[in-house]
Every structure is written in C-alpha cells, then in structure tokens.
Amino acid sequence: MMGHQDPPQPKLFYPLLTLETRVRSNHPLRAIAQLIDFEFVYEEVAQTYGTKGHVSLPPPVLLKLMLLLVFYNVRSERELMATLPERLDWLWFLGFDLDTAIPDHSVLSKARTRWGRAVFQALFERLVWQCVEAGLVDGAKIFLDSSLIDANASNNSVVDTQSLKAQLTRTYRELEARLDEPVPEPSHPQGARPVNTRYVSTTDPDAAIVRRGNAKLRYQTHRAVDSRSEVITAVQVTRGDVNEAHLLVPLWQAHHANTRRMAHTVVADSKYGTIENFLACHERGLAAHMPDLKQAADQRAAQRQHFADTQFTYEAATDTYRCPAGQVLRRKSWHRSRQSLDYAAPKKVCAACPLRSQCTDNTMGRTIKRHLHQEALDHMRARSHSAPARRDLRMRQHLMERSFARGTRYGFDRARWRRLWRVQIQEYLIASIQNLDILLRYGRDPRRRLALAVRDLGRALPLGSLHPFARVSCS
Ligand code: SF4
C-alpha cells in the first residue's frame, strides 16, 4: 500500500533527536575529533586574552571553525557561517547544539590577528609528531620542492615605487602608511633576497610579481616531505620571487626539529643544486641527491660546441689546469664573494691557439673557476650522479607532485587571505589536514602499516634480495 505524506507539522520538541545519533560512526570529522586534542589551544593563546571585558568564543571552537573552512574548502568565512546551521556534522564537530547561536564570521579574522601564526604552527607540529609516533615517518630521507600560490590581490593593485606619478597618488600614500605598520616577520628567509622590490601591490605588499606563465602576484610555499608515507614534515611560505635554493637548510632544520629525526639524504630538483647547497650538505654530512646546476651550464657550453670545464685537468702539485690544447692555466684572480679562483692561460697563447673556436668566444681567452672547497664540491657532485640518487630523483617527481596535487583539494594554490603571515597560517592548516589524511589512511590500519614497513625494506635492499614470502605478505 502506498504511503502518503501529511502536511508538515513542526514539532515543538524532539526528545529522541541528538546530534550524536545523526552523525555516522565512520564520519571523518569523528576521526579528526579523536585524533586532535583541541584543548591545547587554551594554553597556546592564553597570553593573548585579557581578564576583563567581552567573553570570546572558546579558542578550540575557533580553531575547529578554521579547520572546517580549509577541510571543506569553503569559499569564504561568511559562507562557512551561513552553511553552519544546515550541517549537523559541523555542529556536532564544534560541540554546538541545534539551537546554539551561530557566531559572526568576523570572529575568525579577529582570532587570527589576536593569535598570530604560532598556534597554527603548534597544530602542524603536533600532527607531525603524531605521525612520527604512529610509525609513519622514517626521517632519514626528505624530498624538497616549492610551488607558487596566487595572492589574493589583483595585478591592478601593483604600483611602481620609483615612479613620480605613483608617489603623487593617494593610493601610494596609503601604501606607505601601510608599509610603516610593523610586519610580524621578514617575507624571505635569511640570505634569500627578493628579486623584485620596485613593484609593490597596494593590496598585499608581501606578494611579489612572478612571471611564470602569466605575470601574477604570488607567494611560494616550500615543503619537506618524508619518504615513508609522504608526511609533510616542514613548511615555509615566502614571497613568490625568493630563490627556493635558500630554503634547503631551513627546511632540513625544521624537519629535524619537528620529527626529532636527522635526515641523512636530501632529494631536490636542479634549482637546489647550487654550490652553497652542495657545500652545506657536505658540512652536515648529508647526501645531496639533486641535479647539479653546473651540469646545466656544461650542457649549454656543449650546445655552443665549447669545451666543458671537465675537459680541463687540475694538477694539484702545481696548482694549475691543463687545457685540451696542452697549455697551462695559472691562477689569475680571487673572488671573495663567490669564494673562487680564476685560472687562465696568457692572452697571447689563447689568441694563437688552433682550438680557440672550440674553447671560447672571449677575446681575453678561456677562464676556469675553481672553488675554495672544490674537492668537497666534486665529491658531492659525483654522489649526486650515483644510481641511488637517480632513483630518488625519479621518485621525487611523482612524490612532490602528489603532495601539491592533494593540497589543491584544500585550495593551497590560491591565498585566502592577505599578508605573508596569514598565507603561512593557511599553509599550516592545509599541511595539517594532509597529514591528518595520512594518519587516517595508514595510522589505523595495521595491514597498511605492515605494507609500508615491507616497502621500506624493499627500498633498502637490492632488487631480488627480499625473501619471496615477504613480497607475498606485502601484496
Ligand atoms: S683557447 Fe686557450 S685555454 Fe682554450 S684550448 Fe686554446 S690555449 Fe687552451
């Protein structure tokens, strides 16, 4: 018999209805609520509140609201608050009831300004440590890469700080006033200078114009990812025009601080393969599995059909180089800034050389540069071409692309907010959620953890040396 629906008759009371029963047992927010003890926020932000006046929303609720914003990639905080009364699962996660007053969207921006980024960093670091405790972090090998984030500002907001016209406009005077505000932290790590300081956005002065594809205002996020289960162990956001090579050591240090594991191998692309980075790795006893920038220079020389630097032989006993024509190149000059010596043959020897067209276009003759720590550099470069290094580099490409691709689900490629410290908060939230996802995927399933352990063993041993039974248990 067909049933008929009566006209809706709203009840005054629902004695049998609770949010607890309305949220399914395997809902991801239940797992997140179990994994994170949000009470830690009270202690983290205690010093940012006074003892009198208006009573704020509890800090754990504010943090949960920001987590929901990013986890569900809600477009804006207004939309989050407008959707909140319709979502029973969100209400349950926040500890609200059906009749709890929905806060104004402005509480979130006020909380960020009050707290700063430290509490979000603490959330990220706590989750990294939970991954370590769950056995999901090996710690010995890290993969580094960076990706651009579109700033929340229009290209039309960019002004030329050297232009007279710009200085006369009201907008520029406003910008100057805004730039006078104390900035919580430099927009680039120590040693890394931004490329373009002439053009500044009046909307977001920390963002930089980057020409990759279209010229746009951008930030750059830098990540260290552990090899075992792709946990993000360190993140840093900079202006878009900062050279990522300068982030190698800070990321390695942050990985060590967050995981309490010393990474012995750093895997990165050719942009990180600078002399400074190879020597920094040598100093710290790290294997640097990254293509050499020098190799690219040698390839360019080969395209011009010139001899590569490697075709010049160094003779340590006399501290000279022997060129392909058999001539001797002696010390010519010392460059303090790049810590290198130049070696050259006399100008007239090069001028009369029959191999000159294959060697140089310079009228002064060919010059070879030798770094003060050339032996260490050669050793590191040789290791970067080894078979394990090539295997790691193949793995890096997919691993880092996956990490950033997963971040796009949570809107990592577009800044929600303005100014560097806020974009850093966004990145901490996204990286925390990505690590939560890994904890949920691997941490609770012993079979997956076993598979990870066997895979680690497979990587450590030469191919074919695993006992066949181990392979069966892995599958
Ligand atoms: S041009 Fe000078 S450095 Fe080059 S091969 Fe001839 S002599 Fe040697």
Side-chain angles (χ1 to χ4, degrees):
M1 188 176 76
M2 183 170 62
H4 288 267
Q5 189 179 31
D6 295 330
Q9 294 279 334
K11 292 181 194 168
L12 276 179
F13 303 104
Y14 296 85
L16 298 179
L17 173 68
T18 62
L19 290 178
E20 187 62 38
T21 56
R22 284 288 161 143
V23 180
R24 61 187 154 90
S25 61
N26 61 346
H27 195 292
L29 289 180
R30 277 192 186 276
I32 291 174
Q34 265 188 2
L35 278 170
I36 306 176
D37 179 9
F38 286 94
E39 297 292 303
F40 85 95
V41 189
Y42 283 118
E43 199 183 324
E44 287 284 336
V45 300
Q47 77 289 354
T48 65
Y49 288 89
T51 51
K52 292 179 186 161
H54 176 72
V55 177
S56 77
L57 215 57
V61 174
L62 289 163
L63 185 60
K64 283 180 185 178
L65 279 165
M66 286 188 235
L67 214 58
L68 285 177
L69 183 78
V70 177
F71 188 53
Y72 288 94
N73 200 6
V74 184
R75 202 174 41 186
S76 69
E77 283 154 21
R78 276 178 198 272
E79 194 175 312
L80 179 83
M81 296 307 187
T83 317
L84 187 51
E86 301 162 3
R87 294 285 302 250
L88 297 183
D89 52 347
W90 293 5
L91 291 171
W92 173 87
F93 180 63
L94 295 168
F96 284 8
D97 215 330
L98 284 174
D99 57 353
T100 305
I102 302 301
D104 187 75
H105 67 88
S106 62
V107 294
L108 296 183
S109 59
K110 286 176 189 163
R112 280 193 300 276
T113 308
R114 182 186 288 270
W115 296 351
R117 60 174 203 144
V119 64
F120 302 93
Q121 184 174 353
L123 172 71
F124 169 72
E125 288 170 2
R126 288 171 78 92
L127 280 164
V128 171
W129 185 243
Q130 278 181 249
C131 291
V132 173
E133 287 186 319
L136 300 174
V137 175
D138 171 50
K141 187 185 289 179
I142 50 171
F143 293 78
L144 308 182
D145 204 358
S146 68
S147 186
L148 292 171
I149 303 173
D150 288 346
N152 186 0
S154 159
N155 282 0
N156 295 333
S157 67
V158 176
V159 292
D160 182 350
T161 52
Q162 292 176 15
S163 153
L164 179 64
K165 186 179 163 199
Q167 291 177 36
L168 297 174
T169 60
R170 187 174 59 81
T171 320
Y172 185 71
R173 285 199 295 275
E174 280 175 12
L175 165 70
E176 276 198 319
R178 214 179 296 172
L179 288 175
D180 286 343
E181 288 173 13
V183 179
E185 61 181 88
S187 56
H188 49 83
Q190 210 177 7
R193 291 274 161 264
V195 176
N196 181 1
T197 51
R198 177 173 170 177
Y199 296 97
V200 179
S201 164
T202 53
T203 316
D204 187 348
D206 292 342
I209 286 275
V210 178
R211 289 179 178 80
R212 198 172 295 174
N214 298 336
K216 272 188 179 175
L217 284 164
R218 285 170 167 142
Y219 286 97
Q220 195 171 187
T221 177
H222 310 263
R223 287 184 175 184
V225 175
D226 183 74
S227 59
R228 178 171 286 171
S229 48
E230 304 182 15
V231 170
I232 303 165
T233 56
V235 289
Q236 188 157 353
V237 176
T238 61
R239 285 167 58 101
D241 58 353
V242 163
N243 182 352
E244 53 263 63
H246 295 288
L247 272 292
L248 185 140
V249 174
L251 286 174
W252 175 78
Q253 286 168 335
H255 166 86
H256 179 46
N258 295 343
T259 62
R260 295 173 218 167
R261 304 277 192 280
M262 188 71 80
H264 301 300
T265 307
V266 178
V267 188
D269 66 19
S270 60
K271 286 172 284 181
Y272 295 80
T274 59
I275 290 173
E276 292 76 19
N277 280 345
F278 276 120
L279 291 177
C281 288
H282 183 263
E283 205 176 295
R284 291 165 177 80
L286 306 177
H289 290 179
M290 47 202 185
D292 184 4
L293 268 181
K294 174 88 171 43
Q295 206 177 356
D298 285 348
Q299 279 167 1
R300 280 197 299 276
Q303 278 167 6
R304 292 200 309 267
Q305 296 182 333
H306 284 170
F307 297 133
D309 285 0
T310 47
Q311 290 174 267
F312 291 68
T313 315
Y314 182 67
E315 291 170 1
T318 54
D319 186 23
T320 55
Y321 275 91
R322 181 80 58 180
C323 73
Q327 298 293 341
V328 175
L329 281 69
R330 298 184 192 284
R331 276 188 189 197
K332 190 176 108 181
S333 52
W334 159 246
H335 296 266
R336 183 195 287 266
S337 59
R338 58 172 198 244
Q339 295 278 290
S340 70
L341 290 154
D342 280 357
Y343 291 75
K347 184 182 166 187
K348 60 182 179 198
V349 172
C350 285
C353 174
L355 301 179
R356 186 191 167 87
S357 61
Q358 297 171 56
C359 189
T360 182
D361 297 328
N362 192 333
T363 51
M364 301 298 287
R366 176 73 179 254
T367 304
I368 297 292
K369 292 179 179 51
R370 182 174 178 81
H371 197 273
L372 193 62
H373 304 290
Q374 191 65 40
E375 286 85 9
L377 209 48
D378 289 344
H379 171 71
M380 295 303 286
R381 281 173 172 157
R383 284 183 74 183
S384 76
H385 297 134
S386 64
R390 288 201 302 275
R391 194 178 56 204
D392 282 344
L393 284 170
R394 280 196 299 275
M395 188 175 157
R396 187 206 72 87
Q397 197 177 353
H398 302 293
L399 187 141
M400 292 311 297
E401 273 178 20
R402 251 194 319 270
S403 179
F404 288 120
R406 285 177 184 149
T408 52
R409 271 187 232 162
Y410 310 110
F412 103 93
D413 49 355
R414 175 93 172 84
R416 289 180 167 274
W417 306 304
R418 290 169 183 156
R419 302 308 298 257
L420 179 84
W421 65 274
R422 291 194 185 96
V423 183
Q424 179 76 66
I425 288 174
Q426 177 181 329
E427 179 63 1
Y428 278 135
L429 285 169
I430 292 172
S432 299
I433 288 170
Q434 284 190 243
N435 286 346
L436 263 173
D437 186 35
I438 293 166
L439 263 174
L440 295 177
R441 261 188 297 141
Y442 292 109
R444 303 176 139 232
D445 186 346
R447 284 170 306 172
R448 284 186 175 227
R449 284 162 69 173
L450 177 65
L452 275 178
V454 175
R455 197 185 65 188
D456 281 354
L457 189 63
R459 281 179 187 161
L461 296 173
L463 202 65
S465 64
L466 272 180
H467 191 280
F469 179 73
R471 286 188 208 159
V472 172
S473 61
C474 178
S475 62

